[in-house]
Amino acid sequence: MTTPTATRRASPFLRIAIALQTLTIFLQAVSSGLLLTSSYGEALHSVGARVMYGASMLYLLAAVLAWKPGGGSPRPVLHASGFLVLASVQVAVGIAHLPSVHLPLGVLMFGLSLLALARR
């Protein structure tokens, strides 16, 4: 059996990971505007996509660490896994240049990430 202290120690890491993910998604929205208006926007958006995907993987890692050794609920692991799937789809439709899917999915991802942050 694990102690509540171990669970509390993992929770700040999980909250930081969700906050980082939310911030990177917001910055992707900003860089998408730059993509349309400047010459360096495409490079910035491309780098941001990699950072956002990495932040989604960090969120999953933080959720697993909060759950397994900390004895917390497995629910954040399911949420983080679902988010990583959404991030994968987002990257794929971005590469395929499908803005009619890419933009609404980005808005959905930002809203879901903000909701996850508010719940933590």
Side-chain angles (χ1 to χ4, degrees), residues 35 42 90-103:
L35 176 72
E42 184 177 354
Q90 181 71 333
V91 168
V93 298
I95 290 170
H97 300 287
L98 298 172
S100 61
V101 178
H102 189 70
L103 294 173

Side-chain angles (χ1 to χ4, degrees), residues 50-75:
R50 289 170 177 83
V51 173
M52 183 276 303
Y53 197 78
S56 295
M57 289 190 286
L58 182 67
Y59 173 28
L60 180 58
L61 175 66
V64 168
L65 290 176
W67 165 60
K68 200 62 173 164
S73 169
R75 180 173 270 168

Side-chain angles (χ1 to χ4, degrees), residues 1-119:
M1 190 93 197
T2 58
T3 64
T5 307
T7 303
R8 274 181 282 190
R9 239 183 279 133
S11 292
F13 180 49
L14 182 59
R15 186 164 174 76
I16 289 168
I18 296 170
L20 180 63
Q21 174 184 268
T22 306
L23 177 65
T24 60
I25 294 169
F26 178 75
L27 292 176
Q28 280 300 91
V30 171
S31 71
S32 70
L34 291 173
L35 176 72
L36 300 172
T37 60
S38 70
S39 60
Y40 60 88
E42 184 177 354
L44 190 62
H45 196 68
S46 179
V47 168
R50 289 170 177 83
V51 173
M52 183 276 303
Y53 197 78
S56 295
M57 289 190 286
L58 182 67
Y59 173 28
L60 180 58
L61 175 66
V64 168
L65 290 176
W67 165 60
K68 200 62 173 164
S73 169
R75 180 173 270 168
V77 175
L78 295 174
H79 291 167
S81 298
F83 208 95
L84 191 57
V85 168
L86 286 176
S88 299
V89 170
Q90 181 71 333
V91 168
V93 298
I95 290 170
H97 300 287
L98 298 172
S100 61
V101 178
H102 189 70
L103 294 173
L105 184 56
V107 172
L108 175 68
M109 289 173 62
F110 179 70
L112 290 175
S113 191
L114 202 55
L115 182 63
L117 182 60
R119 294 178 123 191

